Amino acid sequence: MLLCIDCGNTNTVFALWDGARIRGTWRTSTDWRRTADQYYVWLSTLMAAQGVEGRIEEVIISSTVPRVVFNLRVLADRYYGTRPMVVGKPEVQLPVPPRVDPGTQVGPDRLVNSAGAHDRHGGDLIVVDFGTATTFDVVAQDGAYVGGVIAPGVNLSLEALHQAAAALPHVDVTKPQQVVGTNTLACMQSGIFWGYIGLVRGICDRIKGEYGQPMRIIGTGGLAPLFAQGDVLFDTIEDDLTIHGLTVIHQANKETA
């Protein structure tokens, strides 16, 4: 089986793929100090608790935190006897190379999302990912990542607001009952919720205007379903887009090996 590891700035997701379906998904906080031994004990315990059986034979990693990759490599080598594929490394090929400015390093998460979205939906896409940052990835007709937009993430914006204004409390991200808040919490929730609705719609409209032809909008990330409640923002929401993209890239490399 294939172990897919999606390491983001906040969380790291492990998913087990048997070639036909995802057998299990597990999430932990991203911490570069976590050792290979700790990863193995944690993952093995959760797999056993959920009755997930099978031998892990291959590993693929996407990481936006370079310091974490070393211990994930050790995990793959020491406990699963395999050298992992690491998206973004020269030896790992993409289904279609990105078309960006020379010398530009594209985040591996964006490359993986592009591959996964194109495999499921074809080209001419905007992939909106609600992570630590809110990213907009433009996927061409042939599946190439051709650029995008990076905006502050929702929770990052809330944290910055709380830190910069001591009188403002922490609030949960939720859809407010009305736009005009009548207390501090409601005002903050409205500003975040409807503010990001406007941000997503405005940026997607401008991308479509520059692109010059119809595009589908794919939402992903934990907060995508929440913001879909506020307006018709997305044509489709994909919960497992990054993991699916990792399986697509892995398969592409196996076919060319």
Side-chain angles (χ1 to χ4, degrees), residues 18 24 35 42 46 56 61 104 145 183 195:
D18 67 3
T35 66
W42 171 82
L46 289 177
I56 295 173
I61 301 167
T104 299
Y145 169 87
N183 57 67

Side-chain angles (χ1 to χ4, degrees), residues 129-175:
D129 188 352
F130 292 90
T132 304
T134 301
T135 59
F136 300 74
D137 302 326
V138 179
V139 185
Q141 180 62 44
D142 64 351
Y145 169 87
V146 295
V149 176
I150 301 175
V154 177
N155 289 315
L156 193 63
S157 296
L158 279 171
E159 185 63 27
L161 189 62
H162 170 70
Q163 290 185 357
L168 297 180
H170 285 287
V171 298
D172 292 329
V173 184
T174 187
K175 180 183 178 181

